[in-house]
Amino acid sequence: MQTTPTTATRPNYLLGFSRIFTGLLFIFSGLIKANDPTGFGYKLQEYFHVFGTDFLNDYATQLAVVICGLEILLGALLLLGFWARTVAWGLLLLILFFTFLTFYSAFFEVVTSCGCFGDAIPLTPWQSFSKDLVLLALIVIIFINRRQIRPIMASRSTQRFLTAVLIVGSLGIGVYTVNFLPFIDFLPYKKGNNLPELMKMPEGKQGDLYELTYTLRNKTTGEQKKVSDKVYLADEIWKDENWEIIGDPESHLVKEGYRIPIPDLLIADANGEDFTHEIIENPYYNIIVVAWDLSHTDLAALSRINALVMNAAENYNVRSVLLTSGSAQEAQQLSDELKLLTEIFYADAVPLKSMVRANPGVLLMRNGVVIDKWHYHTLPTFEVLETRYFSKGD
């Protein structure tokens, strides 16, 4: 009796690995950034500046939420096997875009960190580009074999329902954290941190090590040569009057050292006098209001904060300050308009953006330690602050 041969479909292990690795990495990357889309939006503004598209700055946070949500969605759909062809095209276009950005950043040294994994896992531009090349190779495998991808659920109605849930969930995470602060704070100003300790070099640690290179010219022969600062001193070339230094010495990073978590915080008054340590090391409670961009701050929120400050000042020994990167004239005008009771001080926008992902936001500090912090949407009442903190002693 003659039998008809049967053919079994051999599992494509390379495709399976590519789907799992790519899907999980996209979900992880999207979740990390969705934890802090405001910070990712600041990174997007750096790219907008590089490519001359600063008109997009006002939409940076919204775009960040969409990009984070898209990463989570595509990663999840890839693992589930839903809408395989559409997902494969989306992944390919997205990774080509990311690969171009990371290469441009690395080659032209225009953005020092891509923000691929937010502040949780900082990557150099070349590390980011290498990561994207690996992902590009895996996504090409997925794209070529996209017709072999089968959904784990055959029902179209179930696929549509789960996809809708994923869309709402992936976007909802970013929308929530924009309005209620990140779930996990990876920045140096997080709750519980001692800021003065993070502003100095720990004992036994060393910063970046640089080497200077001098260009020397022989006054007699006109010969030129380059020597390091170590050779210049060790060979006592500086004693030889036949050689002279041409131009400024070149500085080269020899070895990366310990990076101080808070290297750039300087708080000053309108006259430029430094009040940094006086404010952050205050042994009593400090209410620090951060409104880094006064032209875009929420004025109604500032008014509510002002009422809170008034109650605190009337009942307890609490100092309240407003930190901004705006001009003294702009700050004073706003203070007069809202009758603010806070002292006004000034700092660079970069550390202020890191203090709290809100404009305005509030930090409660005591003796250099961040006791708590709030988005203006979650601002506690005076009664809550009194019960939790103020009434327990000055």
Side-chain angles (χ1 to χ4, degrees):
M1 183 176 65
Q2 187 175 12
T3 59
T4 303
T6 59
T7 58
T9 303
R10 296 180 60 186
N12 190 332
Y13 294 110
L14 185 58
L15 174 61
F17 171 79
S18 300
R19 284 180 60 192
I20 294 173
F21 185 87
T22 303
L24 291 177
L25 190 61
F26 262 71
I27 293 173
F28 177 73
S29 173
L31 286 174
I32 285 290
K33 291 197 289 290
N35 176 68
D36 183 14
T38 302
F40 184 45
Y42 295 148
K43 184 60 60 178
L44 290 179
Q45 289 178 354
E46 293 184 40
Y47 284 109
F48 296 157
H49 180 71
V50 169
F51 293 105
T53 54
D54 295 291
F55 63 91
L56 292 173
N57 282 348
D58 290 340
Y59 310 100
T61 302
Q62 294 91 322
L63 287 171
V65 171
V66 172
I67 292 172
C68 298
L70 186 60
E71 283 191 78
I72 298 170
L73 177 65
L74 289 176
L77 292 179
L78 179 64
L79 293 177
L80 294 171
F82 296 172
W83 325 109
R85 297 182 186 181
T86 302
V87 170
W89 271 107
L91 288 170
L92 183 63
L93 294 175
L94 200 59
I95 197 61
L96 286 173
F97 176 67
F98 285 158
T99 304
F100 164 74
L101 282 184
T102 53
F103 171 76
Y104 193 94
S105 299
F107 188 79
F108 293 102
E109 299 180 348
V110 289
V111 179
T112 57
S113 174
C114 75
C116 302
F117 299 114
D119 293 289
I121 309 176
L123 296 179
T124 66
W126 283 117
Q127 288 173 336
S128 302
F129 176 62
S130 301
K131 180 264 298 179
D132 285 343
L133 284 181
V134 173
L135 275 176
L136 177 59
L138 295 176
I139 290 174
V140 167
I141 293 171
I142 294 169
F143 185 81
I144 293 173
N145 297 279
R146 62 191 182 278
R147 298 179 189 277
Q148 297 182 32
I149 299 175
R150 297 289 179 265
I152 63 172
M153 298 175 184
S155 170
R156 280 289 181 178
S157 59
T158 303
Q159 291 181 31
R160 293 190 185 96
F161 173 75
L162 289 178
T163 300
V165 171
L166 285 170
I167 291 173
V168 173
S170 58
L171 292 175
I173 294 171
V175 171
Y176 180 89
T177 50
V178 165
N179 289 281
F180 299 97
L181 296 187
F183 295 110
I184 304 174
D185 193 346
F186 292 104
L187 295 167
Y189 298 92
K190 68 181 180 181
K191 180 179 176 180
N193 274 8
N194 186 306
L195 302 192
E197 291 298 318
L198 297 178
M199 295 173 64
K200 61 186 181 182
M201 185 72 68
E203 188 176 350
K205 297 290 185 179
Q206 186 178 13
D208 291 343
L209 181 63
Y210 288 89
E211 180 181 80
L212 294 178
T213 300
Y214 296 104
T215 301
L216 305 178
R217 181 176 61 192
N218 190 294
K219 298 177 182 178
T220 304
T221 64
E223 175 192 356
Q224 292 188 11
K225 64 179 181 180
K226 292 181 179 289
V227 298
S228 68
D229 53 347
K230 292 182 179 179
V231 173
Y232 184 76
L233 294 173
D235 293 352
E236 297 185 341
I237 299 177
W238 54 277
K239 290 183 178 181
D240 191 341
E241 296 182 357
N242 290 321
W243 293 96
E244 63 178 353
I245 298 175
I246 303 175
D248 296 323
E250 300 174 5
S251 179
H252 304 280
L253 179 63
V254 176
K255 181 182 178 181
E256 288 191 0
Y258 178 83
R259 299 295 176 91
I260 299 174
I262 303 179
D264 53 358
L265 179 61
L266 174 63
I267 300 172
D269 64 5
N271 297 318
E273 186 176 349
D274 188 351
F275 280 82
T276 308
H277 293 283
E278 177 182 322
I279 291 174
I280 67 172
E281 294 178 7
N282 182 4
Y284 303 102
Y285 281 114
N286 264 7
I287 294 178
I288 298 182
V289 184
V290 179
W292 71 272
D293 184 356
L294 293 177
S295 61
H296 290 85
T297 194
D298 190 298
L299 299 183
L302 277 179
S303 295
R304 294 197 304 273
I305 294 171
N306 196 45
L308 179 64
V309 165
M310 181 186 299
N311 280 326
E314 288 178 350
N315 294 278
Y316 295 95
N317 184 15
V318 177
R319 184 178 189 180
S320 301
V321 302
L322 171 68
L323 301 184
T324 182
S325 62
S327 67
Q329 181 180 2
E330 184 182 19
Q332 192 58 54
Q333 181 178 346
L334 183 64
S335 179
D336 293 341
E337 179 183 338
L338 299 180
K339 296 181 173 56
L340 298 181
L341 300 177
T342 55
E343 303 173 68
I344 301 176
F345 293 92
Y346 304 88
D348 186 77
V350 173
L352 294 185
K353 290 177 182 178
S354 298
M355 279 188 177
V356 57
R357 297 303 202 200
N359 186 33
V362 176
L363 285 80
L364 180 66
M365 292 191 61
R366 185 179 186 182
N367 203 27
V369 176
V370 179
I371 304 299
D372 213 334
K373 63 198 305 185
W374 300 274
H375 192 287
Y376 62 85
H377 284 154
T378 59
L379 187 69
T381 63
F382 168 71
E383 289 73 23
V384 170
L385 288 180
E386 183 178 39
T387 302
R388 290 184 183 175
Y389 307 111
F390 301 154
S391 63
K392 295 181 179 180
D394 295 336

